[in-house]
Amino acid sequence: MTNSQDAAATTSPSIHAQHGEAQPALVLVNLGTPTAPEPGPVRTFLREFLSDRRVIEMSPLLWKPVLEGIILRVRPREVAGKYRSIWLEEGSPLMHYTREQARLLDERLEGVRVEVAMRYGQPSIGSVLDRLHAKGVRRVAILPAYPQYAASTVTAINDAVAQWIGRNRDGFELRLHRSFPAAPAYIDALATALEKHWERVGRPNFLTGDRVVVSFHSIPVAMDKAGDPYRSECRRTVAALESRLGLAMGTLTATFQSVFGPAQWLGPQTIEEVERLGAEHCPRVDVICPGFMADCLETLEEIDQLNRETFIEAGGGDFHYVPWGNDSEGAVASLEEQARIALAGWV
């Protein structure tokens, strides 16, 4: 090497550094949220969400008239009221806590750029990838904030990534993370949340009828029959949590929530189960939602408000919603464990 070549080599950034490969990016992706708890933003969000063929597996020719002619005319006002009941000063709970998770991950993952994207709404996956690409980043790991895999969640994220690839010639070195239904840090976070709750209010007495309900978002039975692995991954989570807590198999009551429309969904439904327990005068029920890394409408309004009212009005005793995610140490440690797997060899 000549002296001029040697000088250039020591003063110029490497090709890898020029292309951003020295600092990979981690994109933490959650479902999405309206920008405000008002009918207009809710309608915009629902239109995008319910137009995804991964979410509604029906011909658009049949579904679109129902969506536009009925659902988007009726539901936004009702749903906006529900959002208003949980809205924070910082905005949507899901957006606020996902951003906090990303901020805390950024502090823990040295040499990694951590970004937030939403599958529906903003910031969109495509816009985040555009921004990273413009900054020279070429190594990107996509981390869905879904511990259990479903085509309607994780695959929907992968679809959006694939759409970005289809629009661009100069792509990324990409890693698409799958799921973590029984990962050690994740199961420990769930167990720790329950144990800390029990330290405050006492352990449930299963012999006298107390129950611990583990509630997951449901999917249509048709998706399950088509081969979706979601239900089996939920079962793995429950089994691992029972083992970690030292409970016999079957001690925890697994249920599914957030069903809508006339289709048959995975059950038992959470709200039907808590109503049944209330009618049997169950003295206490603790509910935890392992599928939600950040509190949102489905946990704060559906579980902590609607299911609580249903249980008590049916004749039940004490109802406890047990939060575990958000910016808690356990939730961030869970995501960090998965991020390090996704980033292995890059940092």
Side-chain angles (χ1 to χ4, degrees):
M1 179 180 290
T2 65
N3 290 338
S4 60
Q5 288 174 324
D6 185 64
T10 57
T11 59
S12 300
S14 70
I15 293 175
H16 291 300
Q18 290 172 6
H19 287 153
E21 293 175 6
Q23 185 184 41
L26 177 79
V27 182
L28 178 64
V29 186
N30 214 319
L31 180 80
T33 175
T35 56
E38 302 298 333
V42 170
R43 183 177 294 107
T44 299
F45 171 73
L46 289 178
R47 177 177 284 115
E48 183 182 5
F49 174 48
L50 296 177
S51 295
D52 191 338
R53 293 290 299 277
R54 293 289 187 182
V55 176
I56 304 295
E57 294 184 347
M58 182 186 298
S59 167
L61 294 176
L62 298 175
W63 174 243
K64 189 172 182 179
V66 176
L67 177 62
E68 296 290 343
I70 301 175
I71 295 174
L72 294 180
R73 291 176 181 269
V74 177
R75 291 284 289 165
R77 186 170 299 278
E78 176 188 351
V79 174
K82 294 180 178 182
Y83 272 108
R84 279 194 293 273
S85 74
I86 67 164
W87 213 253
L88 304 173
E89 289 185 9
E90 299 87 352
S92 158
L94 182 141
M95 180 66 76
H96 169 66
Y97 286 119
T98 303
R99 284 175 171 162
E100 280 298 289
Q101 289 168 349
R103 181 184 65 81
L104 293 168
L105 281 173
D106 191 72
E107 293 176 357
R108 298 182 182 210
L109 299 172
E110 185 177 353
V112 178
R113 183 189 183 100
V114 181
E115 297 279 352
V116 166
M118 296 289 152
R119 178 58 184 89
Y120 311 103
Q122 296 298 326
S124 67
I125 294 171
S127 68
V128 171
L129 293 179
D130 282 342
R131 185 166 65 252
L132 290 173
H133 194 273
K135 291 183 178 295
V137 175
R138 291 299 181 270
R139 286 177 167 172
V140 176
I142 306 293
L143 177 58
Y146 302 122
Q148 294 77 29
Y149 182 100
S152 55
T153 54
V154 178
T155 309
I157 289 173
N158 295 346
D159 287 345
V161 175
Q163 290 167 8
W164 186 93
I165 293 171
R167 295 193 301 268
N168 292 273
R169 290 181 179 274
D170 181 11
F172 295 106
E173 182 180 350
L174 275 165
R175 293 179 179 175
L176 305 176
H177 204 61
R178 189 181 189 280
S179 61
F180 47 102
Y186 166 61
I187 296 301
D188 191 62
L190 294 169
T192 299
L194 284 169
E195 289 168 341
K196 287 183 177 179
H197 169 67
W198 294 342
E199 287 176 4
R200 292 191 299 270
V201 302
R203 292 184 67 87
N205 189 335
F206 297 105
L207 296 177
T208 62
D210 291 347
R211 292 290 179 267
V212 177
V213 173
V214 182
S215 182
F216 298 90
H217 197 296
S218 190
I219 64 170
V221 170
M223 293 183 180
D224 181 63
K225 289 183 176 179
D228 201 296
Y230 180 70
R231 178 162 58 172
S232 65
E233 297 217 351
C234 292
R235 287 171 172 167
R236 285 185 62 195
T237 299
V238 175
L241 182 56
E242 286 174 330
S243 177
R244 165 62 177 76
L245 291 169
L247 300 174
M249 184 179 298
T251 302
L252 301 178
T253 302
T255 61
F256 294 90
Q257 65 178 87
S258 309
V259 306
F260 65 92
Q264 184 182 2
W265 291 66
L266 292 184
Q269 292 185 28
T270 304
I271 196 161
E272 292 179 352
E273 182 66 15
V274 300
E275 185 174 31
R276 183 187 68 80
L277 291 172
E280 294 176 354
H281 303 293
C282 172
R284 169 181 153 190
V285 63
D286 297 344
V287 183
I288 192 168
C289 300
F292 299 91
M293 293 295 302
D295 272 325
C296 55
L297 194 68
E298 285 79 1
T299 61
L300 297 175
E301 191 277 334
E302 184 179 351
I303 295 298
D304 203 22
Q305 294 180 26
L306 180 59
N307 278 259
R308 176 189 297 277
E309 294 170 3
T310 299
F311 176 72
I312 293 172
E313 289 177 3
D318 295 327
F319 183 100
H320 301 283
Y321 166 59
V322 183
W324 73 275
N326 300 332
D327 55 357
S328 69
E329 169 60 29
V332 177
S334 301
L335 292 170
E336 181 186 2
E337 180 180 62
Q338 299 309 306
R340 292 192 181 280
I341 293 171
L343 296 163
W346 287 357
V347 290

